[in-house]
Amino acid sequence: MTTGTALHWIDGTWVGPGGRGGADIRPARGERDTDGRAAEGQEMAARALAAARRAFAETRWKDDRHLRARTLHEMADVFAAHIGQLTEALAQADGRPRPHARFEAETVPSRLRYFASLVRTGHGRALEVAPGNCALVLRRPRGVAGIVVPRRSPVALLICSLAPALAAGTTSVVRMPGQTPRVNALVFGILSEIESLPRGVVNGFTEDDGAGARYLVAAADVPCALDGTAGEASAMEDFIECERVTITPGTIQR
């Protein structure tokens, strides 16, 4: 059985050792390269975070809900086209029966389309706090979201957090587990096919020691979804902050 880590997908580019098929060779049995892998995990997390911050600041992603909805629908279509490959990769990753692996793969397109629909129906809140004065509560994306994906059900749990994060308007850094390199390579490859996804909006890296994940969690400005724990109906709230705007006759005050 071949083990290893898949190439990382950062700022729209394949980065790191190994190959897209996930055939990178680990140290020989008995050798330990813990420091080297930790350093690589932190480096990839830092590069991915920098790319995500740039994309949040410089692209239309956070402001253009029509772009986000269109991209999520395109992601659903591309994931649907790869259900067979995802099924095989998931079945090989942990030896589960193929019907179970296919069930996981088939949950992805519908979840992406669900959050695409929420993008178009997002709203704020308005209240007349005094005669002639109106207070608005605007919902804005929080910047960059960190997503730490566990070994179990990696594709389903990735999308459970990535779909609402993208719908909310954040850019993302995804940490995939080192135990599923072929699944990771396939997922990153699928993301690379999304033509409407701006460069740097989604960045992914693979590791198995947790150094990169700890780097993301330690970043004070990065809300993190750990082990796919973003809630379903309210998941977008994890990646949104509210801003109050007071409007008085002839002025807007923040």
Side-chain angles (χ1 to χ4, degrees):
M1 177 178 171
T2 303
T3 60
T5 54
L7 270 177
H8 314 295
W9 175 250
I10 297 174
D11 206 15
T13 304
W14 295 103
V15 177
R20 182 167 168 174
D24 174 41
I25 304 301
R26 290 181 176 169
R29 182 173 297 182
E31 296 181 9
R32 295 184 62 84
D33 189 26
T34 303
D35 292 341
R37 290 203 298 272
E40 182 186 355
Q42 292 177 7
E43 178 188 357
M44 292 303 107
R47 291 179 65 172
L49 189 53
R53 283 172 170 153
R54 178 202 59 77
F56 185 79
E58 298 178 5
T59 71
R60 299 160 38 219
W61 187 255
K62 65 181 180 296
D63 302 312
D64 191 340
R65 69 173 60 197
H66 299 288
L67 171 62
R68 300 202 300 272
R70 184 169 69 252
T71 299
L72 285 165
H73 278 300
E74 184 184 351
M75 288 178 67
D77 292 339
V78 177
F79 269 96
H82 288 83
I83 283 178
Q85 290 173 279
L86 285 168
T87 297
E88 291 302 314
L90 289 166
Q92 292 176 16
D94 55 14
R96 80 175 85 175
R98 277 175 174 72
H100 295 178
R102 187 172 184 87
F103 175 79
E104 177 178 345
E106 288 179 340
T107 65
V108 171
S110 60
R111 183 169 283 115
L112 288 166
R113 292 190 177 103
Y114 169 74
F115 281 101
S117 68
L118 290 187
V119 173
R120 295 186 182 279
T121 58
H123 59 279
R125 188 172 58 191
L127 175 68
E128 187 179 23
V129 294
N133 294 337
C134 182
L136 304 179
V137 176
L138 306 178
R139 293 153 50 91
R140 301 189 183 281
R142 293 178 61 183
V144 179
I147 299 172
V148 179
V149 181
R151 179 179 182 177
R152 71 185 192 282
S153 303
V155 176
L157 292 179
L158 163 64
I159 299 302
C160 276
S161 293
L162 182 60
L166 294 180
T170 68
T171 55
S172 300
V173 176
V174 175
R175 178 270 193 185
M176 294 295 285
Q179 299 90 341
T180 58
R182 296 190 184 280
V183 174
N184 306 352
L186 180 55
V187 168
F188 295 158
I190 290 171
L191 292 174
S192 73
E193 296 178 16
I194 312 301
E195 295 182 358
S196 59
L197 184 66
R199 180 171 64 89
V201 167
V202 180
N203 308 273
F205 67 98
T206 294
E207 66 166 3
D208 57 8
D209 66 352
R214 290 191 293 273
Y215 184 92
L216 292 177
V217 172
D221 61 335
V222 178
C224 285
L226 305 177
D227 294 343
T229 53
E232 279 295 326
S234 62
M236 288 176 63
E237 304 300 326
D238 295 339
F239 308 108
I240 288 174
E241 59 186 1
C242 293
E243 178 183 7
R244 179 170 176 170
V245 179
T246 300
I247 301 176
T248 58
T251 65
I252 297 181
Q253 300 176 346
R254 291 179 183 265

